[in-house]
Amino acid sequence: MEHKNDYSVIVYFENTTPKKWKYVHTLNSFSKFLDTKHPTWKYFNVYERRTAKYVKRFYRGNIVPAFL
């Protein structure tokens, strides 16, 4: 599978410090996880895990694709 854990994500919350997830497989499943387990998230930045290159930012309520 070519997309296996391709992303690292830094999530920003309303009143706390950002949190990083290093191995993220599908982005839309990750945003659903945030909605249920961390409902105060504001946005998250997506990075290529292997190169640490910034890819894109997603805000809460936006449509998030599975892969970029």
Side-chain angles (χ1 to χ4, degrees):
M1 183 174 275
E2 74 180 52
H3 293 291
K4 185 70 176 169
N5 299 325
D6 276 347
Y7 307 109
S8 292
V9 176
I10 299 177
V11 181
Y12 295 85
F13 300 95
E14 290 181 11
N15 295 320
T16 60
T17 58
K19 190 171 183 181
K20 182 176 183 179
W21 277 265
K22 190 171 183 180
Y23 300 101
V24 176
H25 181 60
T26 56
L27 297 173
N28 58 355
S29 295
F30 182 74
S31 69
K32 290 176 187 175
F33 159 77
L34 288 176
D35 287 339
T36 57
K37 300 292 183 181
H38 303 280
T40 61
W41 73 279
K42 290 173 37 179
Y43 62 90
F44 62 87
N45 292 337
V46 179
Y47 301 87
E48 291 179 2
R49 182 179 60 82
R50 291 169 182 85
T51 63
K53 179 183 172 191
Y54 173 78
V55 179
K56 192 167 181 173
R57 175 178 290 171
F58 291 100
Y59 289 92
R60 184 179 180 93
N62 286 6
I63 296 173
V64 180
F67 303 105
L68 298 175

